[in-house]
Amino acid sequence: MKVFKFGGASVKDAAGVRNVATVLSHFADDDLLIVVSAMGKTTNALEEVVWAFSEGRPTKPLVEALRSTHETVLAEVAPGDDAAKASLDASFRELQRTLAQRSSGRVDEDYDQVVSLGEVWSTLVVSAHLKHVGIGNSWLDARTVVRTDGSFRAAKVEWQACENLAIRYLQPLFTTRPGRVLTQGFIGRTADGQTTTLGREGSDFSAAIFAYLLDAESVTIWKDVPGMFNADPKRFRDTKLLSHISYREAIELSYFGASVIHPRTLQPLQKKHIPLYVRSFVDLAAPGSTINDVSENDSLIPSFIVKPKQLLISITPRDLSFIVEENLSGIFWMFAQRNVRIDLMQNSALAFSVVVDDSPRSHELIEELRKVYEVRYNEGCELVTVRHYDEPTLAKLTGGREVLLEQRSRTTARFVLK
Ligand code: ASP
Ligand code: MG
């Protein structure tokens, strides 16, 4: 059994959807569980719907645009499939009903009910196309298996419940061979039936969850790039393919912000020693990257990760009392409560400095912190991480720029640059 994941870019239009079928045709004898993200930029568009909804602005034009894109692609890739068309219609009608009501005022909860639909629509379209070209498949609502807690927009997986649900609802779908199950990434459900999401870019994690539950032999993430690189090819020249790295190294890289794989994806895979392949859906002959237990190649190539749009926040007690454990635990609690992730931290006697994404949540948190602390911040920073660094590389990287903060360990150097 293999788990495949196709991201939004791979199903952004009719050609993309057809290409998924082409990829699958190379695996005709394998049992496959296929996880698909929302088409193209659908998730962003649905976020706009949520913001409009919660602010009482009209949502209809936004929803109609989404409906028309999905209907058009469906008509192209699965002409005459009235059942699929009806399912898509029903889902849009339900969305319209939700949006006709007043917002609950709980934005994160509304967000998950609305934004999760992108994955439902894309999988309806892909499933219909696969059937159209003779690739039979069972469409599975991921929410029947992925049980989570109620932390909307950042739901936590309840593993034991998932294992029980998988035995009941997922495994039976593989009794006919080869089994083909098509399902959504990114979404889950609470015990009392509310839809949740796992956090943006969460579909890789979904693939890992399913692989874990099914004891899959491997997970393949199909991307528009031919693997994992030592730096973002859009920012750096002479990037190198990381053809073989360990889970540990990949976790470090994604933790520091490499966007190829969602950071949480690797833990469940590592637990069951399930290898992860990152491969190109445009170039099926390209070897791609393999991530598994083997760590021999990890220290050979320096890797660069750049996170733009960062806030450097410095927190000082008003009475100049030292930042001690009690202060820190209170501060961490406030970050955790608001789901603001700390990308880097450093403390001195009087100040605790952190780097976080510049988001509305971070600014709300700053206001909250200001009730107790003196808080200053620097906007528009870049957080640069270099794994396996050497001095010439660092000099080149930081040359001519203002370094606001610097941190080094044996393997990793990190800079906050202005
Ligand atoms: N569709 C979701 C997003 O764009 C999840 C994913 O693609 O991984 O964030
Ligand atoms: Mg995506």
Side-chain angles (χ1 to χ4, degrees), residues 5 7-8 37-38 43-44 119 186 199-204:
K5 183 257 174 173
S37 303
T43 306
N44 293 358
E119 267 66 13
F186 182 52
R200 286 301 308 265
E201 305 302 325
S203 294
D204 292 353

Side-chain angles (χ1 to χ4, degrees), residues 127-415:
S127 174
H129 176 65
L130 295 181
K131 284 187 184 143
H132 182 70
V133 297
I135 304 178
N137 64 92
S138 322
W139 183 92
L140 170 77
D141 188 329
R143 293 169 289 192
T144 34
V145 174
V146 182
R147 171 67 55 79
T148 72
D149 72 357
S151 321
F152 296 104
R153 296 183 68 185
K156 301 203 175 50
V157 173
E158 296 183 344
W159 289 97
Q160 189 54 56
C162 292
E163 287 188 45
N164 298 337
L165 292 166
I167 292 169
R168 214 153 131 206
Y169 298 108
L170 182 54
Q171 283 175 7
L173 300 176
F174 286 97
T175 43
T176 53
R177 309 218 96 134
R180 294 259 180 281
V181 175
L182 187 88
T183 193
Q184 307 79 39
F186 182 52
I187 69 177
R189 185 182 275 152
T190 64
D192 47 13
Q194 270 188 301
T195 297
T196 52
T197 65
L198 304 171
R200 286 301 308 265
E201 305 302 325
S203 294
D204 292 353
F205 184 40
S206 300
I209 296 169
F210 283 110
Y212 182 93
L213 296 173
L214 288 164
D215 286 317
E217 63 177 81
S218 63
V219 173
T220 306
I221 299 184
W222 295 95
K223 294 194 73 86
D224 54 1
V225 288
M228 235 180 136
F229 284 82
N230 70 325
D232 183 351
K234 290 185 203 109
R235 272 172 190 276
F236 291 89
R237 276 184 294 156
D238 304 327
T239 51
K240 294 190 188 73
L241 179 75
L242 301 170
S243 62
H244 205 148
I245 62 170
S246 67
Y247 296 118
R248 266 193 102 85
E249 181 67 10
I251 289 172
E252 293 279 8
L253 292 174
S254 55
Y255 172 80
F256 290 131
S259 60
V260 178
I261 302 163
H262 194 283
R264 278 174 304 171
T265 305
L266 294 146
Q267 280 103 342
L269 299 182
Q270 181 180 29
K271 268 197 198 150
K272 290 208 172 169
H273 310 284
I274 300 169
L276 174 67
Y277 305 123
V278 181
R279 292 186 57 185
S280 162
F281 62 73
V282 252
D283 182 2
L284 293 178
S289 300
T290 299
I291 299 153
N292 62 11
D293 286 311
V294 182
S295 59
E296 270 148 37
N297 304 314
D298 284 353
S299 56
L300 299 178
I301 309 175
S303 292
F304 304 84
I305 300 126
V306 180
K307 289 195 87 176
K309 268 193 82 187
Q310 300 290 298
L311 279 180
L312 172 60
I313 308 175
S314 130
I315 304 162
T316 315
R318 285 242 162 74
D319 57 1
L320 295 191
S321 62
F322 290 133
I323 287 265
V324 287
E325 285 71 9
E326 298 93 88
N327 289 331
L328 286 177
S329 70
I331 292 170
F332 282 131
W333 172 248
M334 288 164 81
F335 276 81
Q337 280 280 297
R338 292 196 173 257
N339 261 316
V340 175
R341 205 191 99 150
I342 300 176
D343 287 324
L344 178 148
M345 56 189 141
Q346 186 156 300
N347 65 322
S348 70
L350 288 178
F352 178 57
S353 301
V354 295
V355 177
V356 299
D357 281 345
D358 191 344
S359 70
R361 283 191 213 206
S362 307
H363 286 276
E364 284 166 27
L365 175 64
I366 289 174
E367 289 318 310
E368 197 69 20
L369 286 163
R370 279 193 165 146
K371 293 180 184 155
V372 189
Y373 298 96
E374 174 87 36
V375 183
R376 279 170 300 144
Y377 62 89
N378 222 311
E379 289 172 301
C381 300
E382 214 172 69
L383 174 60
V384 182
T385 304
V386 188
R387 295 274 296 162
H388 314 302
Y389 60 88
D390 53 39
E391 290 309 324
T393 322
L394 295 190
K396 211 160 82 191
L397 198 75
T398 56
R401 300 190 62 182
E402 190 186 351
V403 180
L404 299 181
L405 197 150
E406 177 174 341
Q407 224 172 51
R408 292 189 195 203
S409 71
R410 209 155 35 81
T411 50
T412 310
R414 313 190 73 194
F415 302 91

